[in-house]
Amino acid sequence: MLISITNTAGPATDLGFLLHKNPSNLHSADLSFGKAHVFYTDAEPHRCTACLLLELDPVELVRGAQQLEAYVNDRPYVSSSFLTVAISRIFGTALSGICQKRPELVTQRLPLEISVSVLRARGDRELIPQLFEPLGYRVATTTLPLDPHFPEWGDSHYVSLNLQAEVTVHDALSHLYVLLPVLDDHKHYYIGDAEVDKLLRHGEGWLSRHPRRQLIVQRYLRRKPDLVSEAFARLLDDESAAIEAGETSTEQSTQAEKDLERPMTLHTQRLNQVAGRLKELGARSVLDLGCGEGKLLRRLLADRSLERITGMDVSHRSLEIASARLRLDRMSERQRKRLQLFQGSLLYRDNRLAGFDAAALVEVIEHLDPPRLAALERVVFEFARPQHILITTPNREYNVLFPTLPEGRLRHGDHRFEWTRAEFNTWAQATAARFGYQVRFEPVGPVDAQHGAPSQMALFSLPQAVSA
């Protein structure tokens, strides 16, 4: 795989500062799937061209595979996720928009010409301009023959791509990082929650306005419903915040809402419902107890009315993942002051939990052994004692509607119990009476006439908070 980036704005060799690669040297790096090289074919004041060459060992990639098709395929030879991993590794500093020696260059739009040697375009040739032209590129493609020595064999399904635009190097690399795998419609590695963070990080500033963003999100995330729903929910959160700041239009937010008019996963519905109720309550400070990897925290951060957001979890590893996904190290000082993460247990009194307007326990209580619920009740309702407490938990009655769940099995191997609606109602009413709260109930997810909703939520409030 070969990609070249040419700058013609003098002094053109500023490209070397932006890419953090000296034009005088050959730069090589070992990757898990091959070797990457950066070299310059031109390094003159009026023209500078940097090339990234990626060499793969396809036999090493499929070592141990038994199927012949694992050895005979086009995947290692076309621009794909292998190339984007190389871009991230080799040009990572430029991709992050950092240039320590010449920071003023980062935001400078340059007349760039980008060439990608081979792209897969099987039935998608018309998609290439649809992806790049809205970003300001002039797009040219050349169809590659099956074999130049045998022209009678006709054309292949592959093209070479040429892009020209006045754009920052940071933006150009971000566009390539996201759109090359979209065109290839394949990734060589596991697609998990981290891919949503990558997509939104590298799509910041342009993805939300792109006319083909629905296709981009779906293909980049390999059409995984959970991840696609989360990506669109976060795009909508970001756009709502931007509208409040006057940085984008209501038309763009309306389009995001249309994108979200698809079946959402239960987990996404649950998080959105909890975040919505917290906003309606007018809380200024919120505790996410059992915050896990920070999915609810991300939604809370998008609500600018919240002044203090705290996540607590018993798992140190989950907090590390939450910190990475929320990008705490890259937050502005103002945002960073709003958020705190710490390790703790819901079974022991903790003075750090006091003084909050609201607390949320999203699918947490069912992970505790029933005899330990009494300790949780005292920690949350007696000692922390926020004005409002939101608790969600599975509804066991709904389990019969899950076709892949064997009869009598709980939904998760770590669940210690799952309550019916009556059992949850009995526990919540008794707990509210014991600690002086009022409680009301809501279904979470689609409601079945006989079995109710898949999850259930109890909203506890102190009487003075209700009257206020």
Side-chain angles (χ1 to χ4, degrees), residues 135-150:
L135 300 172
Y137 291 96
R138 297 182 296 279
V139 180
T141 59
T142 302
T143 303
L144 302 176
L146 275 174
D147 192 319
H149 299 293
F150 299 94

Side-chain angles (χ1 to χ4, degrees), residues 360-423:
L361 293 88
V362 180
E363 309 296 284
V364 171
I365 60 173
E366 64 274 7
H367 292 271
L368 298 177
D369 292 315
R372 294 192 171 190
L373 283 176
L376 176 144
E377 293 162 10
R378 294 200 68 194
V379 168
V380 176
F381 289 87
E382 181 179 350
F383 300 128
R385 202 166 180 78
Q387 297 179 39
H388 306 281
I389 302 169
L390 283 75
I391 296 179
T392 75
T393 192
N395 167 25
R396 191 178 74 223
E397 298 166 78
Y398 197 91
N399 288 359
V400 297
L401 299 181
F402 291 111
T404 60
L405 186 65
E407 185 177 356
R409 290 280 300 275
L410 302 182
R411 297 183 198 176
H412 192 282
D414 190 52
H415 285 185
R416 300 299 191 263
F417 64 87
E418 289 174 2
W419 278 330
T420 65
R421 285 169 291 174
E423 288 169 336

